Amino acid sequence: MARSQESFNKKEQEKLRAKKRKEKQEKKEARKANPKLSGEELYVYVDENGHLTNTPPDPSKKAIIDAESIEIGIPKRQETEEVDLTKKGVVDFYNTSKGFGFIKELDSNNKFFFHVNGLIDEVKEGNKVTYELEKGVKGMNAVNVKKHI
C-alpha cells in the first residue's frame, strides 16, 4: 500500500494558510460591523513648532504667504565690477636651462611657480613682474607673466 503524498510539513503549511484566511475573514467582518471611523481619527496635524498632534491648528494663527514672493531656483546674478586679477611680484628664482622659476608676491611674500610656457616677456631674477594665478597640480601657478615697468 502506498504512503500518503502529504507530509507533515505540507499539513502544517495548510494549517497556517487556513488560519490566515480565517483571520482575514474576521477582520473583514469586523470592518463591516463597525461603521467607518470619523475623519478626525485618521488625520495627524503639525503644530507651529513642528510637532505632530491630533488637534487641528487654530485658524486665527494662520499666516498668509504671497506665492509671488517665493523664489524658486538661484537668484539672478547682479552686475559687479570686474576685479583686476593681475598680481605684482619679483622673480625670486629662474632656471633658464630647465624653463621654470618662482615669483615672490610683493604683498604677502608668497612664492608661486611659473613655467617658461607661461611667460609673455623674457624675465631674469630680480625683475618686477605682473602675473595671474591659475590652479595647478601642486598648487597655484603664475601664468601670463610680464615685465612690470
Side-chain angles (χ1 to χ4, degrees):
M1 190 162 186
R3 280 182 101 191
S4 171
Q5 293 293 325
E6 205 168 304
S7 67
F8 176 77
N9 193 28
K10 286 182 180 178
K11 287 180 185 178
E12 289 297 314
Q13 297 236 342
E14 186 56 39
K15 283 181 187 177
L16 283 174
R17 278 192 227 113
K19 185 179 176 184
K20 284 183 182 179
R21 268 188 250 124
K22 184 179 176 186
E23 287 175 358
K24 189 174 181 180
Q25 187 64 28
E26 287 173 359
K27 286 180 185 177
K28 187 176 180 182
E29 290 172 4
R31 281 195 302 267
K32 284 184 181 179
N34 293 335
K36 289 200 172 204
L37 298 172
S38 67
E40 293 296 317
E41 296 170 4
L42 297 176
Y43 293 107
V44 176
Y45 302 97
V46 179
D47 65 2
E48 61 271 2
N49 299 321
H51 301 291
L52 299 176
T53 179
N54 59 357
T55 57
D58 184 14
S60 64
K61 294 182 180 178
K62 183 177 180 181
I64 299 172
I65 299 172
D66 181 26
E68 299 290 325
S69 66
I70 299 173
E71 284 188 40
I72 299 175
I74 301 172
K76 289 184 178 178
R77 195 177 204 179
Q78 294 185 2
E79 296 292 325
T80 56
E81 294 180 24
E82 288 199 24
V83 180
D84 187 23
L85 297 175
T86 57
K87 298 183 178 273
K88 295 179 183 175
V90 176
V91 177
D92 191 43
F93 170 79
Y94 181 49
N95 187 337
T96 53
S97 63
K98 292 188 179 178
F100 74 93
F102 292 95
I103 296 173
K104 189 174 189 180
E105 190 174 19
L106 291 177
D107 299 336
S108 65
N109 290 334
N110 289 337
K111 288 187 179 181
F112 299 107
F113 172 84
F114 72 91
H115 191 265
V116 71
N117 294 342
L119 293 176
I120 294 176
D121 298 335
E122 289 212 14
V123 295
K124 297 178 185 174
E125 286 185 25
N127 286 1
K128 288 189 177 184
V129 292
T130 58
Y131 59 95
E132 296 174 6
L133 290 178
E134 180 181 87
K135 180 88 171 142
V137 178
K138 294 185 179 179
M140 299 303 283
N141 294 342
V143 292
N144 298 333
V145 181
K146 295 188 267 188
K147 276 187 185 178
H148 182 67
I149 300 171

